[in-house]
Structure formats: structure tokens, C-alpha cells
Amino acid sequence: MPLLFLFYVIPNTLHNTWLGISRSFWGKIGTNTWKSTVVLKVQQFIYIYDLAFKPDGTQLIIASGNRLLVYDTSDGTLIQPLKAHKDTVYCVAYAKDGKRFASGAADKTVIIWTSKLEGILKYTHNDSIQCVSYNPVTHQLASCSSSDFGLWSPEQKSVNKHKVSNKITCCSWTNDGQYLALGLYNGIVSIRNKNGEEKVKIERPGGSLSPVWSISWNPSRDEHNDILAVADWGQRLSFYQLSGKQIGKDRVLNFDPCCVSYFSKGEYILMGGSDKQVSLYTKDGVRLGTIGEQSTWVWTCKAKPDSNYVAVGTQDGTISLYQLIFSTVHGLYKDRYAYRDSMTDVIVQHLITEQKVRIKNRELVKKIAIYKNRLAIQLPEKIQIFELYSDDSSDMHYRVKEKIPKKFECNLLVVCSEHIILCQEKRLQCLSFSGIKEREWVMESLIRYIKVIGGPPGREGLLVGLKNGQILKIFVDNPFAIVLLKQSTAVRCLDMSASRNKLAVVDENDTCLVYDINTKELLFQEPNANSVAWNTQCEDMLCFSGGGYLNIKASNFPVHQQKLQGFVVGYNGSKIFCLHVFSMTAVEVPQSAPMYQYLERKMFKEAYKIACLGVTDTDWKELAMEALEGLEFETAKKAFTRMRDLQYLELISSIEERKKRGENNNDLFLAEIYAYQGKFHEAAKLYKRSSHENLALDMYTDLRMFDYAKEFLGSGDPKDTKMLITKQADWAKNINEPKAAVEMYMTAGEHLKAIEISGDQGWVDVYVFALGDFNIILFLF
């Protein structure tokens, strides 16, 4: 029979080309849960009993008829067919070190192959080989037939064989390689040590009427105990500890299971069989949904190591490789983030304190909504509403408040203080916590976005964005929706500013548009946006993400950018909440850039508000000085208080007192500020402009900056020049430079002071003094 091989990489689409069908396919867990996409299809028209991935995931070994087919998993290329068995190949397994793999067949032989696809060893049993499995630690091979099992390793010259009382159908090694579990046709599970000795015997209730058809140990190293999953043809899935003690109750399957296997980290289970489909289960056996439907029985299914790819082999020879894409199910309210974990749990994380609480549901979590002290979780057959134990903002203890025991189909779920809001395409339904429908709204177009924007309990407002570009506000106690505005492009994301005066919209063209809600005016728009959020503490600040960048915009200033991966979902103070893949992080972003934008425009009060969100000490100093120079004393005083700078606070207090007394010369105030800052020349110019040259001279002379003082005077009044020289002479006298002092006193005409200093020094010199208009000169010997 010729090989029919088809390979596709078509996201979101499943193609059954040989049947002439092309249709979109979504996982049956729900639109927002996860989707599976067939990326590889092979049809052999021969039973596919088993398959195995090479540990690095690069190759897929298929047991097809009496051959092994080796495929490249990256592009579906058939690398090589291997024909060495004389009858149907029932099983194949790869050693964990990737050096060898083994195959077993109805011809009673086991063949050992190298990773280079070379057969290096063959040995036989007395009956057909049913299963093979490599020890994950020692790489010892267990091969099982209808009447015995063998243990082989490269160091051994022979195979150690052990008789069994019934046909072995399946086998699996524990993580540490110490024990081998055997599933028997008579419904018994036998757990053996490495030497083949039976240590534990598990007798299943159904006995021979419930053959154990597939078993697998959980490979997770995070589990405290070894856990064995057992699937039998009594149509049950059970779990056991190594001791043989059952964990929980049997789970009814309603089909005959042919294969059960874990993901490589043990978080999920794959199962297929007579129901002609591959299903995904939690590690605890909770069914999550269908990965893919088949035309015939599914005989084997395995997960590609360390990935979300699943290979499936069926009775009619079809091999499918599915890619599972797990979408994020989550909700955010301010600093509380709730998200799905392990498909059935909900974790609520406080993004500031990093506290977490886990809520176990033991069912598939389909939707999550969080608002204030409320948490809503949609499960397949009900919605559970939780509330916080207390009003403490740090409280993380939730308790069940109400249960709505109904199955709902919805695209979006929102919770308010007293209501649940369900969104299904164009329709919004408002339900009480008892499940009674109180109100319904039908929109003109598909609903793309919905958000609670606050309000009194029972009267909250909702912000709704539609595919046709319409944006509405709805109050849960009002049957009429209010149209805020309508744009020409579809809405992707929405947010409203803290004062409810501005609206930010991200449309289908990745453009962020900001409107004035009252006037409907488009204030500005920015490209390359995938999500947007207003700062809850600052009316004029928003951020948006896109193209690997975080963009922060204050007022109508240019955008400030920094690198950031993910989607912005919240903006509170200096913290931006960002969702990247499945992880929510709170990014601390200094608000320096927008603060300086406000300072450039002398908008000191606005700059102070931004600084309060979080800036550096250097930024605070810059704000304080800029506000002081701008004579915005209130802002400057707040900033210097933040810096604990008493010197400038005293200056501001002094100026404010003088203003109260009626002084209003701003040049004079600013001159004093400049003098405090060490900007003496600027201060002198302002003193001169305000006709207070004497203050400039006092400043220079107090600072002993006599040269600058002389320069400042220029060819001014001789009296001022004389006064300046006299002050300079006084300074020279004080610093014990008498000769310079005498010279300057004489230049200034202060002869008596010059004579006094000379006398004090005992100098035999010329004494010069004035008497009327005559100079009297005495020569002393």
C-alpha cells in the first residue's frame, strides 16, 4: 500500500485534504481555553500500534505494519523506513539518553537500534512482544510478551527473563528507575524491582473482565510520591501509589482506553481509545477536552518531549501531530490578578505584596472575573462566586458566596458587586448571584471588549467596545445603553481615565486613539499599540504597549519609550502591570521623562503630581529648583519638604513673609534665589534691574568677590568705588594681610586707618595723613 504523506503548518486550521474537507477547528474545551492545530498528517492504511519520540524531539518513530518509519518532526520528512521484523510491529521505545531505541513485534523478536538507525542487536521471546520500555536511569530495557518479560542492558550478555501468569499488555518504569509496573490482561498490576521480583500486586475490581490496557508513571519530579495511572477496559482510569494504595476514586471513562501517557513534566495526561478521539486530562484525571477526533480507534498517543505537540496513531493508519496552544484565562482588578493554573486551579496574586492564594476547583476553569472583593469562576456546569473574608486591602482569603448551578455559553465574563455579566457575541446578560436574569442588552455588532469602570454596588458602569467601532457605557441597573462615540474601525481594547473625561481606544489597525468624552474630539493618536491603560492616579497619563516597547504619554507631550515585552493591562502610580505569555509582572517605571516634559513647559503643579508617582532623588531636586526659580513657591516647598532641605525651606518662608507684608518685586525674589543657588552673576543682574545695586555689592563683598564687584560697578559713582575698596581693605586686615590693607586704605583715602595699621606693625615708614587740604608727612627715624 503506497504511503500518503501530507504536511501542513496552517495556524488555527485543520485540513483533512484526502477527504476533500477544509474546516476550522477549535479545541472543545472552549474558545478561550486552548486550541489544537494539526500540523502533520500521515496516512498508511495500516494499524499504527505505537510511536515514540526521540528524547530531543527531532524524530518520531512509527510502528507501522512490519516496518518502523522514522520522520523528521520539524518538516514531516520521512528520514528512513526500517524493515527488520517479519511480522506486525506492536511497540517501540526510545532510551532517555537518546542513544538507542527498541522495537518489538508479533514475530517474537526485539531489535535494538542506534540513533543512527542501525540495528545492532536482536533477541527473542516465546511469544509475540506486547510492549517495551527503557529504564530512565540505567537505560535497562524491559521487553514484555504474552507469557514473560525480559530485562536487558548493554553490559549483559544475555536477557534475564521472568515468567508471568497472564498476558502482559503494558509496562512503565518509575522516575528513579527502581521499579517496573506491568499491566496484565487479567486486570492485575504487578510492580517489580530492577531484578524482576514482584514487590506489589494490585488486583483491580473488574478482574479479567477489565484488562489493564495502558499504564504510565507520572514523570514529574515535583510529586512527593510515585503515582501510577492505570486505564483498563472496564472503562475506568485510576491512580495508585508505589505501595499499591489507590489515590482517590476510579474515574469513569465511557470508552475502552488503548493508551495513556503523561506530558514530559507530568502536568497533563493524554488518552485515546474506542471513542475515536484523543482527550486531554489533568494529572488528577479530570477531563479537559478533545484534542482531535479520528475516524477509527486511537491506539497510541504521545507528547513530544518538553513541548505542546501531541502525536496520535490510529487503527486506519492515520498519524496526526497536533500543536496545543493554551490560552491565558485570567482577570485583573487594580493590584489583584487572578489566573488559571493547571487548567483546574485559580491563583489570585497580589501584584504589590506578591502574596498568592490557590483555589482548587477540580474542574476545567473556563472563565475568570475579579472586581473589588468579588471573584467569579466559570466551570463547565456552574459559576462560583467568591468573596474576601474582610475589607482589609491585603486580605487574600476567599470563601464561596454563591453558586449558580447552570451551564452557560459565553465569550466574556464580568463580575460586579451584586451581578454577573455574560457576553455572548452581540448579547449582554445581567444575572443576579442566584442566577436570575435581570436585564439584557443587544448590541448592533459583536462585542469585542468589556470592562467594569466602577460605581455604587448594584449600579456599576460597564465600558463596552464593539466590532463596528461603537463604544458604549452601560449601567447594570439601566436597560438603556449610552453611546459614548463611534469610530470607523473595530475596537480591540478600551480604558477610561480616572475622572471619566477621556477615553483611550486601541483599534484593529494597532492605533491608540484618545478622545474627549464630552466633546467627542480626537485629542491625539499614536501608532503601534496592542493594549492601553490609563494611570489610575493621574488623569493625564496613559501607557500603551506594542512592537516590543512600552510607551508612556503624558498630556499631549511626545511619547517616551522603553523596551518591554507583552501587553499592558494596568497602570497604577509608578507600576505598570504587564502580561507576557502566561506571566503577569508589575514593572516599576520611574516617571522622570513625563515629569521633565511638564517642567519644560513650566507646568510645575502637574510635574509635582507626576513626581509623586515615583521619581529619583535627583529628579525631586530638579523639580524643587525649577519650581523655585519659577516662583511657584507652593510646589517648591512640597518638593523641598520631600527632600528635607531646611535651607531652602527657610528661604521660601522668608520670601512668603515678605510677600504678606506687601513686597511684590519678583526680580528681587528671584535674585535672592539665584544667590542661594550660587548663581551670583545672574543674581547681580536682577538686583541691578530692580534698582538694588547695593544688594549686589553687598553680595559680592560678603563673598570677598571684589574683582567681580569692581566689574559690576564699572565707571559708576566714585563713592561706591571708595566704599568697595574700603571693604576690601577691611577684609585684608581681618585675614592678617596688613600691607595689602594699608595700600587699599590709602587708595580709598582712609589714611588714618593705614597709619594705625602701620603703627601696630611697628613699621618705620612714611606716615601720611590729611589736615584740611594739606598732606602732612612725618619721617620717623
Side-chain angles (χ1 to χ4, degrees):
M1 188 68 67
L3 170 68
L4 174 60
F5 175 78
L6 301 165
F7 177 76
Y8 299 95
V9 182
I10 306 177
N12 303 337
T13 306
L14 167 65
H15 280 243
N16 293 330
T17 306
W18 55 83
L19 300 177
I21 299 172
S22 177
R23 60 186 176 90
S24 294
F25 178 87
W26 287 84
K28 293 186 177 179
I29 296 177
T31 305
N32 294 326
T33 307
W34 52 265
K35 59 193 175 197
S36 56
T37 306
V38 174
V39 295
L40 170 64
K41 271 220 177 257
V42 181
Q43 195 154 4
Q44 285 288 327
F45 306 106
I46 301 173
Y47 276 47
I48 305 297
Y49 283 114
D50 203 4
L51 52 81
F53 282 99
K54 190 176 181 180
D56 63 6
T58 58
Q59 294 178 4
L60 179 64
I61 314 297
I62 306 292
S64 174
N66 62 354
R67 298 184 300 172
L68 294 175
L69 303 177
V70 184
Y71 286 97
D72 185 327
T73 56
S74 64
D75 58 9
T77 304
L78 177 61
I79 297 174
Q80 186 176 337
L82 304 175
K83 188 174 182 180
H85 290 285
K86 298 178 180 178
D87 206 339
T88 303
V89 181
Y90 286 145
C91 49
V92 60
Y94 227 115
K96 196 169 183 178
D97 61 4
K99 295 180 179 179
R100 289 178 292 275
F101 64 94
S103 59
D107 62 3
K108 307 177 184 179
T109 62
V110 175
I111 299 178
I112 311 297
W113 308 81
T114 68
S115 59
K116 296 181 180 180
L117 311 183
E118 299 169 342
I120 57 172
L121 178 70
K122 178 189 290 188
Y123 67 85
T124 62
H125 284 259
N126 293 327
D127 294 288
S128 60
I129 312 302
Q130 302 297 313
C131 54
V132 290
S133 179
Y134 272 101
N135 186 306
V137 178
T138 65
H139 310 302
Q140 184 180 31
L141 177 67
S143 55
C144 307
S145 73
S146 299
S147 58
D148 64 1
F149 70 95
L151 298 173
W152 174 86
S153 62
E155 298 80 18
Q156 297 175 204
K157 294 183 178 180
S158 61
V159 180
N160 296 323
K161 295 180 180 178
H162 306 267
K163 291 287 185 179
V164 290
S165 59
N166 208 277
K167 178 180 178 179
I168 302 173
T169 58
C170 48
C171 64
S172 178
W173 287 97
T174 55
N175 272 336
D176 58 8
Q178 296 297 312
Y179 295 95
L180 173 69
L182 306 175
L184 306 181
Y185 194 81
N186 62 0
I188 290 175
V189 177
S190 176
I191 299 178
R192 309 285 180 124
N193 63 16
K194 289 191 298 183
N195 298 322
E197 300 165 342
E198 186 174 77
K199 294 299 180 181
V200 178
K201 184 177 182 181
I202 302 172
E203 297 186 9
R204 306 273 292 150
S208 59
L209 298 177
S210 302
V212 175
W213 209 259
S214 187
I215 58 176
S216 181
W217 291 101
N218 188 329
S220 172
R221 301 199 177 272
D222 296 331
E223 298 290 341
H224 297 299
N225 300 304
D226 291 302
I227 298 174
L228 180 68
V230 179
D232 65 30
W233 276 15
Q235 302 192 344
R236 290 168 304 175
L237 173 65
S238 306
F239 297 92
Y240 293 90
Q241 294 180 0
L242 183 60
S243 63
K245 181 181 178 181
Q246 185 168 354
I247 303 171
K249 297 181 180 179
D250 293 341
R251 294 189 177 271
V252 178
L253 300 175
N254 295 317
F255 67 92
D256 292 331
C258 296
C259 51
V260 60
S261 62
Y262 281 91
F263 272 56
S264 55
K265 293 181 180 178
E267 66 270 46
Y268 301 113
I269 293 175
L270 297 169
M271 200 177 315
S274 64
D275 60 344
K276 302 178 183 179
Q277 59 186 8
V278 182
S279 298
L280 185 70
Y281 293 76
T282 68
K283 63 182 181 181
D284 301 318
V286 177
R287 188 178 187 277
L288 300 175
T290 302
I291 294 175
E293 296 177 348
Q294 308 295 325
S295 301
T296 55
W297 283 35
V298 174
W299 282 101
T300 180
C301 56
K302 301 282 178 63
K304 183 180 175 181
D306 300 318
S307 77
N308 288 335
Y309 285 87
V310 174
V312 181
T314 66
Q315 183 174 327
D316 67 359
T318 301
I319 304 164
S320 305
L321 182 63
Y322 292 88
Q323 183 184 14
L324 277 60
I325 301 176
F326 296 89
S327 63
T328 306
V329 176
H330 62 158
L332 175 73
Y333 177 74
K334 292 189 176 178
D335 49 19
R336 287 178 186 263
Y337 177 57
Y339 61 96
R340 184 179 66 186
D341 186 60
S342 302
M343 305 298 280
T344 59
D345 294 351
V346 172
I347 293 178
V348 182
Q349 176 184 358
H350 197 292
L351 296 172
I352 306 300
T353 65
E354 293 297 326
Q355 290 177 285
K356 291 183 180 181
V357 61
R358 179 182 294 271
I359 300 173
K360 291 183 174 291
N361 299 280
R362 295 181 176 82
E363 293 183 75
L364 173 67
V365 173
K366 300 181 71 173
K367 299 284 188 301
I368 299 172
I370 188 169
Y371 176 72
K372 292 187 176 178
N373 64 337
R374 299 283 190 260
L375 172 67
I377 301 174
Q378 184 188 9
L379 304 174
E381 302 293 334
K382 63 186 174 184
I383 293 177
Q384 290 195 133
I385 298 101
F386 295 81
E387 66 178 359
L388 286 171
Y389 272 82
S390 70
D391 295 329
D392 185 353
S393 61
S394 62
D395 184 20
M396 295 294 289
H397 297 88
Y398 286 87
R399 62 186 173 193
V400 176
K401 177 177 175 59
E402 298 286 350
K403 293 181 182 180
I404 305 177
K406 294 181 182 178
K407 182 177 181 179
F408 296 99
E409 292 296 333
C410 65
N411 305 117
L412 301 169
L413 174 70
V414 171
V415 65
C416 300
S417 299
E418 300 173 3
H419 298 90
I420 288 288
I421 311 297
L422 302 176
C423 171
Q424 180 62 32
E425 297 184 342
K426 299 181 181 180
R427 190 182 305 273
L428 280 180
Q429 290 184 337
C430 177
L431 280 66
S432 69
F433 286 167
S434 58
I436 299 172
K437 186 174 75 173
E438 294 186 357
R439 204 158 280 107
E440 183 174 278
W441 303 269
V442 179
M443 307 297 149
E444 296 179 0
S445 178
L446 292 175
I447 299 169
R448 297 288 295 273
Y449 192 88
I450 182 171
K451 180 177 183 178
V452 186
I453 54 175
R459 300 175 56 192
E460 289 89 355
L462 306 175
L463 193 61
V464 181
L466 307 183
K467 187 177 181 181
N468 67 358
Q470 198 173 58
I471 299 161
L472 308 99
K473 183 162 65 174
I474 296 174
F475 293 98
V476 297
D477 63 337
N478 193 319
F480 302 104
I482 302 169
V483 178
L484 295 179
L485 57 89
K486 184 174 181 179
Q487 56 181 32
S488 59
T489 51
V491 174
R492 176 184 293 178
C493 179
L494 285 173
D495 199 17
M496 189 178 283
S497 66
S499 67
R500 307 289 189 263
N501 290 323
K502 296 178 183 177
L503 184 68
V505 184
V506 174
D507 69 5
E508 61 185 353
N509 298 325
D510 298 336
T511 302
C512 177
L513 305 104
V514 176
Y515 297 91
D516 184 304
I517 292 178
N518 299 315
T519 65
K520 319 299 183 190
E521 177 189 359
L522 177 62
L523 301 177
F524 60 84
Q525 64 183 45
E526 297 287 345
N528 304 317
N530 55 31
S531 63
V532 65
W534 286 97
N535 195 314
T536 57
Q537 297 183 26
C538 184
E539 168 70 14
D540 291 327
M541 284 192 70
L542 62 77
C543 66
F544 62 91
S545 55
Y549 285 92
L550 168 67
N551 305 271
I552 301 174
K553 187 170 178 68
S555 187
N556 57 352
F557 299 130
V559 167
H560 171 72
Q561 281 190 335
Q562 67 182 65
K563 288 187 176 182
L564 181 74
Q565 295 296 324
F567 295 83
V568 165
V569 295
Y571 191 8
N572 184 14
S574 63
K575 285 185 167 57
I576 292 176
F577 303 126
C578 177
L579 177 68
H580 181 48
V581 191
F582 302 114
S583 175
M584 178 72 77
T585 55
V587 182
E588 189 78 34
V589 181
Q591 305 299 302
S592 306
M595 187 200 78
Y596 283 109
Q597 288 175 325
Y598 279 112
L599 284 181
E600 287 174 5
R601 298 197 182 185
K602 307 300 180 183
M603 300 171 70
F604 301 113
K605 292 182 179 179
E606 292 79 359
Y608 176 76
K609 291 179 181 178
I610 300 300
C612 289
L613 301 180
V615 295
T616 65
D617 290 342
T618 303
D619 297 331
W620 274 109
K621 183 176 181 180
E622 189 68 25
L623 169 61
M625 292 299 184
E626 289 280 349
L628 186 60
E629 291 179 17
L631 304 181
E632 178 57 55
F633 296 118
E634 190 62 32
T635 300
K637 186 160 57 175
K638 291 177 181 178
F640 281 121
T641 301
R642 168 70 169 71
M643 296 169 58
R644 300 179 181 179
D645 193 321
L646 296 179
Q647 179 185 3
Y648 278 102
L649 287 174
E650 289 175 358
L651 172 63
I652 294 171
S653 178
S654 171
I655 294 174
E656 287 180 333
E657 286 297 324
R658 290 160 57 190
K659 290 186 72 174
K660 288 178 182 179
R661 293 196 297 267
E663 292 187 34
N664 56 8
N665 191 329
N666 287 338
D667 284 345
L668 187 57
F669 295 149
L670 188 56
E672 291 187 16
I673 291 169
Y674 281 155
Y676 258 69
Q677 294 175 338
K679 301 176 181 178
F680 304 118
H681 300 316
E682 291 88 341
K685 291 176 183 177
L686 288 172
Y687 279 131
K688 186 174 183 179
R689 194 167 74 185
S690 61
S691 302
H692 287 80
E693 290 89 346
N694 61 311
L695 296 178
L697 289 174
D698 289 343
M699 176 186 70
Y700 279 131
T701 55
D702 288 346
L703 295 168
R704 311 295 187 251
M705 301 172 70
F706 299 108
D707 292 338
Y708 288 126
K710 292 175 184 177
E711 183 182 337
F712 176 76
L713 284 176
S715 58
D717 191 338
K719 292 181 179 179
D720 291 334
T721 303
K722 180 180 178 181
M723 180 271 293
L724 175 62
I725 296 173
T726 300
K727 284 191 174 184
Q728 188 174 6
D730 290 342
W731 173 69
K733 177 183 176 181
N734 291 334
I735 63 172
N736 200 25
E737 291 188 9
K739 185 175 182 180
V742 167
E743 291 174 355
M744 284 185 279
Y745 278 134
M746 291 178 68
T747 302
E750 297 286 349
H751 303 130
L752 292 177
K753 289 184 178 181
I755 292 171
E756 182 182 353
I757 294 173
S758 298
D760 292 341
Q761 297 297 320
W763 290 337
V764 180
D765 261 328
V766 180
Y767 281 36
V768 181
F769 58 91
L771 180 62
D773 293 329
F774 300 94
N775 289 334
I776 299 174
I777 303 174
L778 299 179
F779 294 90
L780 302 179
F781 298 94

